[in-house]
Amino acid sequence: AGGAPRPVFVQADEAGLSVLPEGVPHAVPTAWDRYPGSDPSEPTVVGLVRSILEGEHEYGTLVLDTVNRLELLLWRWICKIGQVDSIEMFGGGYGKGYTRALEEVNRLIDMLHGLKSRRGMHWIAISHQVTKTAKDATQDDYERAMMQLNEKAAGAWEGAVDTIIYAQPEIQTFDHINKDQKGERRKVEITGRTIAVVKPGRGIAAGSRDLVKSPMILSWPEYETQARRGADLRKAVYAKRAALTTEEQAQLDGRLAAAGFSYEAHEIEIGK
């Protein structure tokens, strides 16, 4: 995120200040929004984002670090305005607190979309992960790494972005080192490198509307370069497709689908 164009950080997770590049503009919000009796000078999430949306500045990217910390500020705000001790008690319970929270998340997302459409800015949302059991009607349940958020809020964030990157420590696996009654054991070593996984997988939340390679290095310039190349490649494939017969188009679509509509599959089509 620090490598994105002219970034400004809404640094809700103060632990991130220790690794924030020196000189990068940032603000630490202490509340989600105003509430009765709050200090007018208190920096809030909504106030900071609104000032970036409407104010004069030269920022190119807004970074939210982290959205799971923002969610904590949001829940505290809901408790304040509802005069309750727990979000589950808001409005008499029955999930009304979480419904109110989702409304606020979508309000923030609308402002972020405004940054892109009105100001031409990028925005990046960072989240920690949590492993949960995923229910699937077509197959057995499985463990999935997801954003460390309320499930409905996580769905709103995932649906709002162009690309979901799963930052994964690179692991090197060695052949089994011994056997015991529980079966084979393998030696695993973390290399220290981080991989940016963009392709969706059974156990991770990832994906992109842009045509980018996966995995790639965890780098904004690399992502931006890949997305630009991917856009050119997609246009070239669609231009080729327009000149084909219906039967030939169906064959092309079948080849792309079989390869997961990957960057490499598009490259192959242009080379044919």
Side-chain angles (χ1 to χ4, degrees), residues 195-199 213-217:
I195 299 172
V197 180
V198 183
K199 186 176 180 180
K213 291 183 178 180
S214 180
M216 61 181 179
I217 63 172

Side-chain angles (χ1 to χ4, degrees), residues 121-142:
M121 289 181 63
H122 305 288
W123 58 273
I124 300 172
I126 300 172
S127 174
H128 292 107
Q129 72 160 43
V130 64
T131 302
K132 295 182 179 180
T133 299
K135 302 290 184 180
D136 194 318
T138 64
Q139 54 188 322
D140 295 336
D141 298 344
Y142 59 93

Side-chain angles (χ1 to χ4, degrees), residues 22-252:
E22 186 176 355
V24 173
H26 65 275
V28 180
T30 54
W32 176 263
D33 202 355
R34 298 279 176 259
Y35 55 88
S38 65
D39 183 351
S41 64
E42 184 178 27
T44 68
V45 177
V46 172
L48 290 170
V49 175
R50 182 181 292 118
S51 68
I52 295 171
L53 175 61
E54 300 174 353
E56 294 296 325
H57 58 76
E58 296 183 355
Y59 302 135
T61 307
L62 172 63
V63 182
L64 304 175
D65 185 12
T66 60
V67 289
N68 46 285
R69 181 65 183 179
L70 293 184
E71 184 175 71
L72 177 59
L73 296 178
L74 170 56
W75 288 4
R76 288 176 178 172
W77 177 78
I78 287 174
C79 291
K80 289 280 189 181
I81 64 173
Q83 298 183 336
V84 293
D85 295 328
S86 167
I87 189 173
E88 295 183 351
M89 299 169 62
F90 179 84
Y94 299 100
K96 293 179 181 177
Y98 298 108
T99 299
R100 183 72 178 86
L102 183 59
E103 292 172 354
E104 285 295 313
V105 168
N106 283 317
R107 178 164 74 111
L108 177 61
I109 288 173
D110 285 344
M111 295 171 67
L112 296 173
H113 286 325
L115 287 178
K116 183 175 182 179
S117 62
R118 292 164 50 187
R119 305 297 298 261
M121 289 181 63
H122 305 288
W123 58 273
I124 300 172
I126 300 172
S127 174
H128 292 107
Q129 72 160 43
V130 64
T131 302
K132 295 182 179 180
T133 299
K135 302 290 184 180
D136 194 318
T138 64
Q139 54 188 322
D140 295 336
D141 298 344
Y142 59 93
E143 294 297 306
R144 186 169 184 257
M146 306 172 67
M147 299 175 73
Q148 192 176 350
L149 296 169
N150 172 271
E151 188 172 345
K152 291 184 178 179
W157 283 110
E158 290 180 7
V161 298
D162 292 329
T163 299
I164 303 171
I165 293 176
Y166 180 73
Q168 182 180 49
E170 185 181 55
I171 297 176
Q172 184 175 1
T173 305
F174 300 93
D175 291 336
H176 65 268
I177 53 178
N178 58 38
K179 294 183 179 181
D180 56 22
Q181 294 180 349
K182 296 181 180 179
E184 295 185 1
R185 299 176 59 193
R186 290 184 177 273
K187 183 178 180 181
V188 173
E189 181 179 280
I190 298 177
T191 66
R193 292 184 291 268
T194 301
I195 299 172
V197 180
V198 183
K199 186 176 180 180
R202 176 179 168 89
I204 60 173
S208 181
R209 294 187 175 98
D210 297 319
L211 189 59
V212 295
K213 291 183 178 180
S214 180
M216 61 181 179
I217 63 172
L218 188 62
S219 158
W220 176 272
E222 176 68 11
Y223 166 72
E224 194 170 37
T225 300
Q226 292 279 358
R228 184 171 58 251
R229 290 174 178 171
D232 292 341
L233 193 57
R234 183 185 283 116
K235 289 177 183 177
V237 170
Y238 271 96
K240 172 185 175 179
R241 190 179 187 278
L244 301 177
T245 66
T246 301
E247 182 178 351
E248 290 171 334
Q249 289 179 352
Q251 294 171 353
L252 184 152

